[in-house]
Amino acid sequence: MKSFVYNGQPGRVVFGAGALSQLGKEIEALGARRALVLSTPEQRASAERVAHMLGAKSAGIFDRAVMHVPIETAREARELARQLDADCAVAVGGGSTTGLGKAIALDSGLPILAIPTTYAGSEMTPIYGITEGGLKKTGRDAKVLPRTVIYDPELTLTLPVALSVTSGINAIAHAAEGLYAVDANPVMDLMAQEGIRALGAALPGIRANAQDLQARSQALYGAWLCGIVLGNVGMALHHKLCHTLGGSFNLPHAETHTIVLPHALAYNAQAAPEAMRRIAQALEGRNAAQAVYDLAKDNGAPVALRDIGMKADDLDRACDIALQNQYPNPRPLEQAAIRQLLQDAFEGKRPSG
């Protein structure tokens, strides 16, 4: 066994159907008295429900969270938190809302309580991302890690099936890259493989019946494990490509991850055979890249970048940006091969065996 270093991330998790009822107690446990509730415009109703539950502990609602956390939105939310004398933030929703909470915490140090309603997993990580001037910049800082996370599968029952599938495969991407991370360790390997297995089993169940609480619970459990992996080890080529496509070309986050992942796995397959074996085993397939592609396609997810707004004329620029500030990756980043990867993802080709 290779040598490794393992650092556990602090944080409290409350998991289970109906867990949202514990919100008031969890705010008290944080030592907070006034919470600013964050959401996207589309999830304003959920934010209002949470604010109502908090009663006097609610300082107000900021409902303008958007993808990729534009710096202007982050500054607006920070200023509102200051004006309302909020001493914590409650992020209700997916990665966009959690990301906004992190941006507030980065500047102000306010503790964050996250209530995920998707399978993004960012609530388990000290990673933040802020987009400024058309470029998404990411970093790690312990103070952006939510102090408490409430996972209530009942809150995911209204998540549209299409978004459930892409959000779930987005989570799988965290675990898949964790398996070949430069700082991987056996604890994360176990969590990664189990997280992939849980999501691979749950997503077809959700597509068959969006109200299947057992499948929803399995998916949220898998997303939690995949999020832990994302928060503990470094990511590689796949995440670099997705940050480029999302931050610079404004492509939707989960769909981008869903489309790119099979091709990133195919690119790294020969350089990370043990990781590929684990991924394939977790998805009950023979080939990791093909198993992920088939999971997406068989469950109605997009498989081509051209179908989510990417333009063919932008592929060269995307390749150039992705090769800047390179992440560690099992296979060296080769410009011609990365450009071909992007072309295959653009066209939606099934990876070869």
Side-chain angles (χ1 to χ4, degrees):
M1 180 180 288
K2 70 175 184 178
S3 299
F4 64 90
V5 174
Y6 171 72
N7 281 311
Q9 300 285 359
R12 175 176 171 84
V13 169
V14 181
F15 191 106
L20 185 61
S21 64
Q22 304 299 313
L23 176 60
K25 293 180 181 177
E26 294 303 322
I27 292 291
E28 290 177 5
L30 287 175
R33 54 183 178 76
R34 286 177 62 80
L36 177 63
V37 181
L38 310 173
S39 75
T40 61
E42 296 79 11
Q43 291 197 296
R44 170 80 192 197
S46 295
E48 289 177 347
R49 177 186 175 191
V50 166
H52 179 73
M53 291 178 69
L54 288 171
K57 293 187 178 72
S58 172
I61 295 173
F62 182 90
D63 66 355
R64 292 189 290 284
V66 293
M67 288 191 307
H68 311 305
V69 194
I71 186 66
E72 297 81 7
T73 305
R75 288 171 177 158
E76 188 179 354
R78 289 169 187 163
E79 177 59 21
L80 181 62
R82 187 191 65 78
Q83 291 176 1
L84 296 176
D85 192 30
D87 58 359
C88 77
V90 175
V92 186
S96 298
T97 307
T98 303
L100 177 60
K102 289 179 173 183
I104 294 172
L106 182 67
D107 183 62
S108 66
L110 287 187
I112 305 299
L113 185 150
I115 306 172
T117 60
T118 71
Y119 309 127
S122 58
E123 67 279 352
M124 297 309 299
T125 81
I127 302 167
Y128 64 89
I130 298 174
T131 299
E132 184 174 8
L135 292 175
K136 187 171 184 178
K137 301 174 183 177
T138 62
R140 285 176 176 259
D141 193 311
K143 67 185 175 184
V144 309
L145 181 72
R147 304 276 187 87
T148 303
V149 181
I150 295 177
Y151 286 108
D152 188 338
E154 292 179 355
L155 299 179
T156 67
L157 290 172
T158 56
L159 185 66
V161 170
L163 184 53
S164 298
V165 174
T166 55
S167 183
I169 297 176
N170 177 23
I172 287 174
H174 307 329
E177 290 227 299
L179 285 166
Y180 54 67
V182 67
D183 54 352
N185 66 71
V187 177
M188 290 301 109
D189 288 352
L190 289 170
M191 290 187 173
Q193 188 167 355
E194 172 65 1
I196 295 170
R197 183 208 63 76
L199 281 157
L203 296 181
I206 292 171
R207 188 167 190 232
N209 176 12
Q211 300 302 303
D212 184 340
L213 189 59
Q214 179 58 31
R216 291 288 188 179
S217 297
Q218 273 284 99
L220 204 55
Y221 161 72
W224 168 47
L225 293 176
C226 294
I228 292 175
V229 176
L230 176 65
N232 278 272
V233 298
M235 297 290 105
L237 171 64
H238 168 79
H239 282 74
K240 178 64 174 178
L241 289 173
C242 291
H243 286 160
T244 297
L245 294 168
S248 297
F249 302 95
N250 202 38
L251 298 188
H253 182 85
E255 290 88 341
T256 301
H257 277 268
T258 298
I259 293 166
V260 171
L261 181 59
H263 304 285
L265 294 179
Y267 183 95
N268 283 325
Q270 296 300 315
E274 175 58 18
M276 299 305 150
R277 184 193 68 78
R278 284 178 174 264
I279 296 165
Q281 183 181 49
L283 294 175
E284 299 182 351
R286 292 188 299 174
N287 175 284
Q290 291 177 349
V292 171
Y293 181 94
D294 292 345
L295 180 67
K297 188 168 186 179
D298 292 350
N299 287 285
V303 294
L305 290 175
R306 63 186 173 194
D307 293 337
I308 63 167
M310 188 67 184
K311 298 177 181 176
D313 291 345
D314 286 333
L315 292 174
D316 287 340
R317 180 166 167 249
C319 182
D320 291 341
I321 296 172
L323 289 168
Q324 299 169 11
N325 302 317
Q326 296 186 10
Y327 290 16
N329 191 65
R331 175 183 170 184
L333 303 190
E334 302 162 11
Q335 184 164 6
I338 297 295
R339 180 61 180 80
Q340 186 60 53
L341 183 165
L342 288 167
Q343 188 68 39
D344 291 345
F346 178 77
E347 296 175 7
K349 290 183 178 178
R350 186 175 188 260
S352 58

